[in-house]
Amino acid sequence: MSKIRIAVIGAGSISDVHLNAYKNNKETEIAAICDVNEERARQKAQAYGAGKAYADYRQVLADPDIDAVSVCTWNNSHAEISIASLRAGKHVLCEKPLCKTVEEALAVEAAAKESGKTLQVGYVRRFGMNAQVLKQFVDAGDLGEIYYAKASCLRRLGNPGGWFADTERSGGGPLIDLGVHVIDIAWYMMGKPKVKSVTGNTYKRLGNRGNIRHLSYYKAADTGGPNTVEDMANALIRFENGASLFVDVSFALHAQEDHISVKLYGDRGGAELEPKLAMATEKHDTMLNIHPQIDALTFDFANGFQNEIDHFIDCCQGRAETICPVEDGVEMMKMLSAIYESGARGAEIRL
Ligand SMILES: NC(=O)c1ccc[n+]([C@@H]2O[C@H](COP(=O)([O-])OP(=O)(O)OC[C@H]3O[C@@H](n4cnc5c(N)ncnc54)[C@H](O)[C@@H]3O)[C@@H](O)[C@H]2O)c1
């Protein structure tokens, strides 16, 4: 098989994780890096041995020596770059969230279908060892029908600033940034049921807590600028099959510590995926807690990205169909948009 020639578009914080995973994949050649900040693109091209550095993604698309792209830019350009890349005949791995709105998501979906190329949404948590192990149990029916799930990702101090804090460029705060991960992994494990209705609340009470000292946290490549996003959101999502999912997420909260958890409850068993994989069931009238013996009980960032990118390359080579198709990006945008709408209107939204 010939190598897949990759361009990474957007050379900020997350691009390093993509680039390291591509570097480890034997069927990949890192061909180009692109960033509106040309110096950043040049530096990263040098660091990863890419032959070309571009300042405009259109140059990537015009380059016949590029087969596939990773879109690692601000959320407001995901749809535009993904659509243009697909039309230029490139496969696309688009970072989460797929885009900012349902309309954009539908346009990406149409472009993916027309092009016949792979569009993989960056739902990296599906590729964690703990998630892959749990999915085997779920698919084998060990949890039965999952009728309730609960997903949290609470940061007490974690607004990355810059574009993340600017609704125009991000589409929102912790809900679209963190909620997308935990809602997706719960929804995926639940069997991707159709959404029926959503009730959500968004809060802007604490701002970005920029006054806090002596505590470090994840920051965008360029910080500063306005903070217009919510700092906390919660939601109850109802599905057509009767199942429900409760979510809460924050960038800022008066909490004792940061917290992530994903819990699933079925009629034959239950599971906690985060913070640590464990399952619960009963046998012979006795309740059992099950503790899988695996290397990574919690999501391992580097390993998850490696699996995600290896899978993307398999798809580009025509050996696999992506497990994170564009339709899942569309459904997610429907959920996220409905939560924001519900919060703004103070009412339940029916989909
Ligand atoms: N999967 C994960 O766990 C994870 C983690 C962090 C970030 N992300 C996602 O990755 C994306 C990037 O996040 P980040 O933390 O790297 O941000 P960042 O601010 O560190 O980097 C973004 C880079 O994109 C560049 N850029 C913006 N618009 C561009 C355009 N139109 N063309 C070319 N370059 C452009 C910026 O100049 C910047 O260098 C976001 O969508 C974010 O949600 C995913």
Side-chain angles (χ1 to χ4, degrees):
M1 274 280 171
S2 53
K3 289 194 172 192
I4 299 295
R5 296 160 301 178
I6 286 283
V8 171
I9 307 176
S13 312
I14 205 64
S15 69
D16 285 307
V17 193
H18 283 237
L19 286 161
N20 281 320
Y22 284 127
K23 207 168 70 179
N24 293 336
N25 184 296
K26 292 193 171 47
E27 292 181 42
T28 303
E29 177 194 326
I30 300 172
I33 313 279
C34 169
D35 200 292
V36 285
N37 180 330
E38 200 168 356
E39 185 48 31
R40 194 172 286 158
R42 243 197 309 270
Q43 277 177 7
K44 222 152 252 197
Q46 201 170 25
Y48 290 93
K52 299 164 189 165
Y54 295 123
D56 187 329
Y57 77 85
R58 292 174 197 86
Q59 296 169 285
V60 173
L61 307 190
D63 186 337
D65 296 329
I66 287 169
D67 306 304
V69 300
S70 262
V71 179
C72 299
T73 57
W74 307 331
N75 301 346
N76 65 340
S77 53
H78 286 189
E80 177 188 319
I81 297 175
S82 296
I83 292 168
S85 301
L86 291 162
R87 288 187 181 150
K90 320 286 187 199
H91 300 286
V92 177
L93 170 56
C94 181
E95 259 304 345
K96 47 52 65 174
L98 176 58
C99 50
K100 279 176 57 181
T101 64
V102 177
E103 291 69 29
E104 282 181 345
L106 291 169
V108 181
E109 184 179 36
K113 298 246 152 87
E114 273 162 33
S115 72
K117 296 286 164 185
T118 293
L119 182 296
Q120 181 170 316
V121 187
Y123 292 139
V124 69
R125 283 180 177 268
R126 296 187 185 188
F127 296 93
M129 184 186 288
N130 60 346
Q132 292 186 329
V133 168
L134 178 58
K135 187 74 166 55
Q136 282 185 295
F137 283 77
V138 169
D139 288 348
D142 290 310
L143 271 60
E145 193 183 323
I146 299 170
Y147 55 90
Y148 178 50
K150 209 170 167 195
S152 278
C153 188
L154 298 172
R155 287 183 186 166
R156 54 192 179 156
L157 175 70
N159 180 331
W163 70 269
F164 282 94
D166 172 12
T167 311
E168 275 308 305
R169 288 179 286 168
S170 61
L175 179 62
I176 200 165
D177 185 46
L178 309 175
V180 66
H181 279 304
V182 289
I183 295 172
D184 176 71
I185 197 65
W187 178 70
Y188 177 61
M189 293 295 171
M190 294 170 92
K192 304 198 279 191
K194 274 245 158 278
V195 187
K196 190 169 96 177
S197 67
V198 163
T199 300
N201 298 285
T202 54
Y203 298 94
K204 286 183 183 172
R205 291 294 181 90
L206 305 187
N208 61 11
R209 303 191 80 184
N211 57 307
I212 298 294
R213 296 186 296 147
H214 318 303
L215 208 54
S216 49
Y217 54 98
Y218 183 90
K219 292 201 175 79
D222 306 290
T223 51
N227 179 37
T228 55
V229 300
E230 81 279 3
D231 47 53
M232 198 272 166
N234 62 33
L236 178 64
I237 305 172
R238 283 199 173 86
F239 298 99
E240 283 181 1
N241 65 356
S244 55
L245 167 61
F246 185 77
V247 188
D248 56 4
V249 288
S250 68
F251 273 170
L253 195 68
H254 286 301
Q256 297 273 318
E257 54 189 6
D258 290 354
H259 169 80
I260 182 159
S261 73
V262 176
K263 299 179 182 182
L264 302 145
Y265 302 102
D267 52 19
R268 296 190 64 196
E272 299 193 358
L273 179 64
E274 296 291 344
K276 219 161 106 173
L277 179 62
M279 285 171 265
T281 189
E282 64 176 60
K283 207 164 184 183
H284 312 305
D285 303 327
T286 301
M287 292 211 286
L288 301 177
N289 286 352
I290 302 166
H291 299 285
Q293 303 299 297
I294 62 172
D295 283 340
L297 287 168
T298 190
F299 178 68
D300 174 332
F301 213 72
N303 180 260
F305 271 95
Q306 190 65 56
N307 292 341
E308 174 185 64
I309 273 166
D310 289 347
H311 176 66
F312 178 57
I313 295 300
D314 281 348
C315 296
C316 296
Q317 294 283 23
R319 285 195 294 265
E321 291 243 330
T322 181
I323 65 160
C324 301
V326 66
E327 304 86 81
D328 294 2
V330 174
E331 284 305 300
M332 176 58 62
M333 287 320 301
K334 286 184 188 168
M335 290 188 249
L336 299 176
S337 300
I339 296 170
Y340 279 124
E341 192 185 339
S342 173
R345 288 175 32 190
E348 183 177 57
I349 305 298
R350 292 192 159 263
L351 284 108

